[in-house]
Amino acid sequence: MLLDASLEGARRVGRRRGPRGVRAGRAAPAPLLRPRPGQRGIVTCGGLCPGLNDVIRAIVMSLPPPLRVSRVIGFQYGYEGLVASFGHARLELTPARVSRIHEMGGTVLGSSRGNQDVGEMVDTLERERIDILFTIGGDGTLRGAHAIAEEVARRGAI
């Protein structure tokens, strides 16, 4: 959730003075992101590292009530899971399904490395009606997420 981090928002913070003239007080949340109800997707890419299942679990457990999510879909084996020709199954991630995955190593979704066709990945996101895709990984994963966002914008799907 994003909070109001503007200068005006900072001025609204409490009136108490802290060390070195810093003002401290209770922050009043002012959400800037108001996603519409819909389906969310999660993909893990790149090398394995501790905590991937923890991140997947945290996303799934925090989404349904506040964001009115109808489904959370896990795409298996990295960005390959977004390319239909690979034939990887999708997993519906429910709170019951992810409740204990933080006790396992690796990632329940699997992972892969390498570039995939961005157009095909966006086609899959449209076909599956994914409104928000959570990408978990390193710098290559973020480059891929950026390419997906650019393709979505190019198509005018935002």
Side-chain angles (χ1 to χ4, degrees):
M1 181 176 296
L2 299 177
L3 301 178
D4 183 354
S6 68
L7 180 59
E8 187 56 37
R11 287 181 179 145
R12 286 192 302 261
V13 175
R15 302 292 178 217
R16 244 178 5 151
R17 284 211 181 264
R20 297 185 196 159
V22 174
R23 293 190 182 268
R26 292 182 357 160
L32 301 176
L33 175 64
R34 300 184 200 286
R36 65 182 185 266
Q39 298 191 130
R40 308 301 187 246
I42 301 175
V43 63
T44 54
C45 306
L48 297 181
C49 65
L52 292 173
N53 284 335
D54 297 270
V55 174
I56 294 166
R57 181 179 184 273
I59 291 170
V60 172
M61 298 301 246
S62 67
L63 280 177
L67 298 181
R68 302 177 312 274
V69 172
S70 59
R71 283 178 51 191
V72 180
I73 298 172
F75 292 96
Q76 293 191 297
Y77 306 110
Y79 286 136
E80 280 186 12
L82 292 169
V83 177
S85 62
F86 283 104
H88 297 310
R90 283 128 177 89
L91 296 177
E92 183 162 355
L93 300 174
T94 63
R97 185 174 217 159
V98 302
S99 67
R100 302 204 52 190
I101 66 171
H102 62 292
E103 298 171 1
M104 298 181 248
T107 166
V108 295
L109 296 178
S111 188
S112 69
R113 295 177 189 247
N115 297 331
Q116 303 302 328
D117 182 271
V118 176
E120 287 185 59
M121 292 192 292
V122 173
D123 289 344
T124 297
L125 294 174
E126 289 179 340
R127 197 170 39 256
E128 296 285 341
R129 298 175 188 231
I130 301 296
D131 297 311
I132 296 175
L133 177 66
F134 293 91
T135 58
I136 305 167
D139 57 344
T141 304
L142 297 180
R143 281 192 297 274
H146 181 74
I148 290 170
E150 286 183 330
E151 177 64 14
V152 168
R154 187 190 70 72
R155 293 182 185 195
I158 298 178

